[in-house]
Amino acid sequence: MASIRCRNGKWQARVRRRGHPDAEKTFSSRKDAEKWTRQIESEMDRGCFIDRTEAERALFGEVLQRYLQEVVPGKRGRETESVRIRALMLSDLANRSMANLNSKIIATWRDERLKQVSGSTVNRELNIISAVINTAIKEWGIALPNNPVTLIKRPRSGPPRNRRIDPAEEERLLQALEVAPRTADGRFCGPQNAWMKPLVQFALETAMRRGEMLGLGWEDVDLQRRVAHLKQTKNGDARTVPLSTEAVKVLDGLPRSLSGRVFPITSDAVKKAFSRACCRAKLTRVVFHTLRHEATSRLSEKLPNVIELAAITGHKDLRMLQRYYHPRPEALALKLV
């Protein structure tokens, strides 16, 4: 049963039907109210009625905030994801109600965002938006007919990284990470993070991810057996990484911190220190993750068996492993002799 009444200059429409929650909404004109009641009654008759009350009440920014507080803390990549979510909370999308968050609005946001960042970055942000909407639909009772992110075209990701670091660049990078001594007047001029150089050396020897190295504890390292056990990895499976002679040498030279971690520094500190070192070493198109690409390519020269190589790097999909393998053309040419 539908009813429409005028109240304070507005038209309040209500639909009551046995077996369904009451649906009501306020409009500025009677015509719009009648149109809405016909739509709701039709949906109830066809058994496809969706109660949009919560979706119309909740702003996407509020849902992002709840996701940040309840879901993100349990994720391994919570630091990076938190930064992205806080940025989304400052965007125009945050001011939209969940019911108003349609594919056209998401596509407009995508096009504006592509003017600022790469397609890969936009895709990562779309993944977060999609995950937040799915959680709201499945877990928090915010009913929507569909996830609008699934209806739009994804931007093309940029070309895969194939940057290699040659020996001369590696030497300059390690020099740029050397801890600078005090000046005559007692001031520091230069890098002071003593953990960065051994971290970079260890990364180039093991192909570990940044988060895996920063989460590594001394109780997980056996220098006698030359292995390091990773309890938590990106794909969720633990793995044990064999350590080269150089990797063991790097660990042998490290002091034992009170925290019990092998590298007691934060991800943000690593990112900033590495970026500054690359500037000092005049290295372009190099980020910390480039070290994993370089290390994987070097290990492939020692381990031509891709199964053994994947066991070290932790790749489950050999196609993904291929993205990290960048042989030097001159090295391949020598094999053709």
Side-chain angles (χ1 to χ4, degrees):
M1 175 181 176
S3 63
I4 300 175
R5 65 174 179 171
C6 184
R7 188 174 185 181
N8 298 327
K10 299 287 185 179
W11 294 91
Q12 189 180 66
R14 175 180 293 178
V15 178
R16 290 179 175 177
R17 183 71 62 85
R18 186 176 181 181
H20 294 280
D22 290 355
E24 61 178 74
K25 193 173 182 180
T26 302
F27 300 89
S28 57
S29 69
R30 183 180 181 91
K31 182 179 179 180
D32 290 339
E34 292 174 345
K35 181 179 178 181
W36 177 81
T37 56
R38 288 196 299 269
Q39 177 186 340
I40 297 302
E41 287 180 323
S42 175
E43 290 179 0
M44 289 181 175
D45 290 338
R46 290 183 284 117
C48 60
F49 170 71
I50 298 176
D51 185 5
R52 300 175 179 85
T53 305
E54 189 64 28
E56 291 171 350
R57 182 184 299 122
L59 295 178
F60 183 55
E62 297 170 345
V63 176
L64 284 170
Q65 180 66 39
R66 182 176 178 181
Y67 189 86
L68 181 63
Q69 294 174 345
E70 298 183 11
V71 180
V72 173
K75 294 189 172 185
R76 284 186 292 274
R78 53 185 171 271
E79 293 181 3
T80 302
E81 190 160 339
S82 296
V83 172
R84 296 187 187 279
I85 289 177
R86 289 192 175 95
L88 286 170
M89 290 170 65
L90 299 176
S91 70
D92 292 337
L93 292 179
N95 299 321
R96 300 276 185 174
S97 71
M98 291 295 291
N100 192 32
L101 207 61
N102 54 43
S103 57
K104 181 180 179 181
I105 290 173
I106 297 291
T108 301
W109 172 87
R110 173 204 62 199
D111 295 341
E112 290 299 317
R113 193 74 177 120
L114 283 171
K115 297 176 183 178
Q116 304 168 348
V117 296
S118 68
S120 299
T121 299
V122 173
N123 275 325
R124 284 190 285 269
E125 293 173 350
L126 284 172
N127 289 340
I128 292 176
I129 294 172
S130 181
V132 171
I133 294 174
N134 282 336
T135 301
I137 294 173
K138 298 175 181 178
E139 302 287 339
W140 299 335
I142 298 179
L144 295 174
N146 50 51
N147 185 336
V149 178
T150 63
L151 303 178
I152 69 169
K153 183 179 179 180
R154 291 295 191 103
R156 181 175 297 178
S157 297
R161 290 191 180 103
N162 56 6
R163 177 74 158 87
R164 294 290 304 269
I165 300 176
D166 61 42
E169 289 178 324
E170 180 183 347
E171 184 178 354
R172 295 205 310 271
L173 176 60
L174 294 178
Q175 287 177 351
L177 291 169
E178 289 281 0
V179 175
R182 289 178 181 267
T183 59
D185 58 359
R187 294 181 301 171
F188 289 113
C189 292
Q192 297 300 314
N193 195 327
W195 301 101
M196 281 302 300
K197 182 178 178 180
L199 179 68
V200 169
Q201 292 173 314
F202 193 69
L204 287 171
E205 289 296 321
T206 62
M208 287 186 189
R209 301 178 179 92
R210 178 178 58 189
E212 292 171 346
M213 291 185 289
L214 297 185
L216 188 65
W218 283 110
E219 72 276 8
D220 305 317
V221 177
D222 189 333
L223 295 180
Q224 296 297 323
R225 294 173 54 222
R226 290 175 45 179
V227 294
H229 182 67
L230 302 178
K231 298 175 183 177
Q232 284 193 341
T233 63
K234 183 178 179 180
N235 58 28
D237 292 341
R239 77 175 190 276
T240 300
V241 180
L243 303 177
S244 65
T245 302
E246 187 62 32
V248 171
K249 183 179 177 181
V250 170
L251 295 182
D252 262 334
L254 292 177
R256 299 312 195 254
S257 66
L258 295 177
S259 67
R261 292 166 55 202
V262 177
F263 299 101
I265 48 179
T266 66
S267 178
D268 189 52
V270 171
K271 183 178 180 179
K272 291 178 180 177
F274 188 81
S275 177
R276 292 169 185 151
C278 287
C279 290
R280 290 191 295 270
K282 294 181 173 56
L283 298 185
T284 59
R285 298 185 302 108
V286 174
V287 295
F288 194 86
H289 198 65
T290 306
L291 302 179
R292 179 162 161 82
H293 285 255
E294 177 63 29
T296 302
S297 298
R298 293 183 184 184
L299 286 170
S300 68
E301 298 172 1
K302 301 177 182 179
L303 299 171
N305 187 319
V306 293
I307 302 300
E308 293 178 343
L309 180 61
I312 295 178
T313 62
H315 288 105
K316 287 185 175 182
D317 190 341
L318 295 183
R319 291 175 299 177
M320 183 59 69
L321 174 61
Q322 187 178 12
R323 296 183 61 182
Y324 285 79
Y325 171 56
H326 314 296
R328 299 186 189 278
E330 57 271 23
L332 295 178
L334 293 175
K335 295 182 179 182
L336 299 176
V337 175

Coordinates of all heavy atoms in Angstrom, one line a residue, residues 186-215:
G186 N 80.3 19.7 14.6 CA 79.4 18.7 15.2 C 78.1 18.5 14.5 O 77.2 17.8 15.0
R187 N 77.8 19.0 13.3 CA 76.6 18.8 12.6 C 76.7 17.6 11.7 O 77.8 17.1 11.3 CB 76.2 20.0 11.8 CG 75.9 21.3 12.6 CD 75.5 22.4 11.7 NE 76.6 22.7 10.7 CZ 76.5 23.6 9.7 NH1 75.3 24.1 9.4 NH2 77.6 23.8 8.9
F188 N 75.5 17.0 11.4 CA 75.4 15.9 10.5 C 75.1 16.5 9.1 O 74.2 17.3 8.9 CB 74.3 14.9 10.8 CG 74.6 14.1 12.1 CD1 73.8 14.3 13.2 CD2 75.6 13.2 12.1 CE1 74.1 13.6 14.4 CE2 75.8 12.5 13.2 CZ 75.1 12.7 14.4
C189 N 75.9 16.0 8.1 CA 75.7 16.4 6.7 C 75.7 15.2 5.8 O 76.8 14.7 5.4 CB 76.8 17.4 6.2 SG 76.6 19.0 7.0
G190 N 74.6 14.6 5.6 CA 74.5 13.4 4.8 C 73.6 12.3 5.5 O 73.1 12.6 6.5
P191 N 73.5 11.2 4.9 CA 72.7 10.1 5.4 C 73.1 9.6 6.8 O 74.3 9.5 7.1 CB 72.8 9.0 4.4 CG 74.0 9.3 3.6 CD 74.2 10.7 3.6
Q192 N 72.2 9.3 7.7 CA 72.5 8.9 9.0 C 71.9 7.5 9.3 O 72.0 7.0 10.4 CB 72.0 9.9 10.0 CG 72.7 11.3 9.9 CD 74.2 11.1 10.1 OE1 74.7 10.5 11.0 NE2 75.0 11.7 9.2
N193 N 71.1 6.9 8.4 CA 70.4 5.7 8.7 C 71.4 4.5 8.4 O 71.7 4.2 7.2 CB 69.2 5.6 7.8 CG 68.3 4.4 8.2 OD1 68.7 3.4 8.7 ND2 67.0 4.6 8.1
A194 N 72.0 3.9 9.4 CA 73.0 2.9 9.3 C 72.4 1.6 8.8 O 73.1 0.7 8.4 CB 73.7 2.7 10.6
W195 N 71.1 1.4 8.8 CA 70.4 0.2 8.4 C 70.2 0.1 6.8 O 70.0 -1.0 6.3 CB 69.1 0.0 9.1 CG 69.2 0.0 10.5 CD1 68.9 1.0 11.4 CD2 69.6 -1.1 11.4 NE1 69.1 0.7 12.7 CE2 69.5 -0.6 12.7 CE3 70.0 -2.4 11.1 CZ2 69.9 -1.4 13.8 CZ3 70.4 -3.2 12.2 CH2 70.3 -2.7 13.5
M196 N 70.2 1.3 6.2 CA 69.9 1.3 4.8 C 70.8 0.5 3.9 O 70.4 -0.2 3.0 CB 69.7 2.7 4.3 CG 68.4 3.4 4.7 SD 66.9 2.5 4.1 CE 67.2 2.5 2.3
K197 N 72.1 0.7 4.0 CA 73.1 0.1 3.1 C 73.0 -1.4 3.3 O 72.9 -2.1 2.2 CB 74.5 0.6 3.4 CG 75.5 -0.1 2.5 CD 76.9 0.4 2.8 CE 78.0 -0.2 1.9 NZ 79.3 0.3 2.1
P198 N 73.0 -2.0 4.5 CA 72.9 -3.5 4.6 C 71.5 -4.0 4.1 O 71.5 -5.1 3.5 CB 73.1 -3.8 6.1 CG 72.9 -2.5 6.8 CD 73.4 -1.4 5.8
L199 N 70.5 -3.2 4.2 CA 69.2 -3.6 3.7 C 69.2 -3.7 2.2 O 68.7 -4.7 1.7 CB 68.1 -2.5 4.2 CG 66.7 -2.8 3.7 CD1 66.1 -4.1 4.4 CD2 65.8 -1.6 4.0
V200 N 69.8 -2.7 1.5 CA 69.9 -2.8 0.1 C 70.7 -3.9 -0.4 O 70.4 -4.7 -1.3 CB 70.4 -1.4 -0.5 CG1 70.8 -1.6 -1.9 CG2 69.4 -0.3 -0.3
Q201 N 71.9 -4.2 0.3 CA 72.7 -5.3 -0.1 C 72.0 -6.6 0.1 O 72.1 -7.5 -0.7 CB 74.0 -5.3 0.8 CG 74.9 -4.1 0.5 CD 76.1 -4.0 1.5 OE1 75.9 -4.1 2.7 NE2 77.3 -3.8 1.0
F202 N 71.2 -6.7 1.2 CA 70.5 -8.0 1.5 C 69.4 -8.2 0.5 O 69.1 -9.3 0.0 CB 69.9 -7.9 2.9 CG 69.4 -9.2 3.5 CD1 70.2 -10.2 3.8 CD2 68.0 -9.3 3.7 CE1 69.7 -11.4 4.3 CE2 67.5 -10.5 4.2 CZ 68.4 -11.6 4.5
A203 N 68.7 -7.1 0.1 CA 67.7 -7.2 -0.9 C 68.2 -7.7 -2.3 O 67.6 -8.5 -3.0 CB 67.0 -5.8 -1.1
L204 N 69.4 -7.2 -2.6 CA 70.0 -7.6 -3.9 C 70.5 -9.1 -3.9 O 70.6 -9.7 -4.9 CB 71.2 -6.7 -4.2 CG 70.8 -5.3 -4.7 CD1 72.1 -4.4 -4.8 CD2 70.1 -5.3 -6.0
E205 N 70.7 -9.6 -2.7 CA 71.1 -11.0 -2.6 C 70.0 -12.0 -2.5 O 70.1 -13.2 -2.8 CB 72.0 -11.2 -1.4 CG 73.4 -10.5 -1.5 CD 74.2 -11.2 -2.6 OE1 74.2 -12.4 -2.8 OE2 74.9 -10.5 -3.4
T206 N 68.8 -11.5 -1.9 CA 67.7 -12.5 -1.6 C 66.5 -12.3 -2.4 O 65.6 -13.2 -2.5 CB 67.3 -12.3 -0.1 OG1 66.9 -11.0 0.1 CG2 68.5 -12.6 0.8
A207 N 66.3 -11.1 -3.1 CA 65.1 -10.8 -3.8 C 63.9 -10.8 -2.9 O 62.7 -10.9 -3.4 CB 64.8 -11.9 -5.0
M208 N 64.0 -10.5 -1.6 CA 62.9 -10.4 -0.7 C 62.2 -9.1 -1.0 O 62.8 -8.1 -1.4 CB 63.4 -10.5 0.7 CG 63.8 -11.8 1.2 SD 64.2 -11.7 3.0 CE 64.9 -13.3 3.3
R209 N 60.9 -9.1 -0.7 CA 60.2 -7.8 -0.7 C 60.5 -7.0 0.5 O 61.0 -7.5 1.5 CB 58.7 -8.1 -0.7 CG 58.2 -9.0 -1.8 CD 56.7 -9.2 -1.7 NE 56.2 -10.1 -2.8 CZ 56.1 -11.4 -2.8 NH1 56.5 -12.1 -1.7 NH2 55.6 -12.0 -3.8
R210 N 60.3 -5.7 0.4 CA 60.6 -4.7 1.5 C 59.9 -5.1 2.8 O 60.6 -5.2 3.8 CB 60.2 -3.3 1.1 CG 60.5 -2.3 2.2 CD 60.1 -0.9 1.7 NE 58.7 -0.8 1.3 CZ 58.1 0.2 0.6 NH1 58.9 1.3 0.4 NH2 56.9 0.2 0.3
G211 N 58.6 -5.4 2.7 CA 57.9 -5.8 3.9 C 58.4 -7.1 4.5 O 58.4 -7.2 5.7
E212 N 58.8 -8.0 3.7 CA 59.4 -9.3 4.2 C 60.6 -9.1 5.0 O 60.9 -9.7 6.1 CB 59.6 -10.3 3.1 CG 58.3 -10.7 2.4 CD 58.5 -11.5 1.1 OE1 59.7 -11.5 0.6 OE2 57.6 -12.1 0.6
M213 N 61.5 -8.2 4.5 CA 62.8 -7.9 5.2 C 62.5 -7.2 6.5 O 63.2 -7.4 7.5 CB 63.7 -7.2 4.3 CG 64.2 -8.0 3.1 SD 65.5 -7.1 2.1 CE 64.5 -5.9 1.3
L214 N 61.6 -6.2 6.4 CA 61.4 -5.4 7.6 C 60.7 -6.2 8.7 O 60.7 -5.8 9.9 CB 60.6 -4.1 7.2 CG 61.3 -3.1 6.3 CD1 60.4 -1.9 6.1 CD2 62.6 -2.8 6.7
G215 N 60.0 -7.2 8.3 CA 59.3 -8.1 9.3 C 60.1 -9.2 9.8 O 59.7 -10.0 10.6

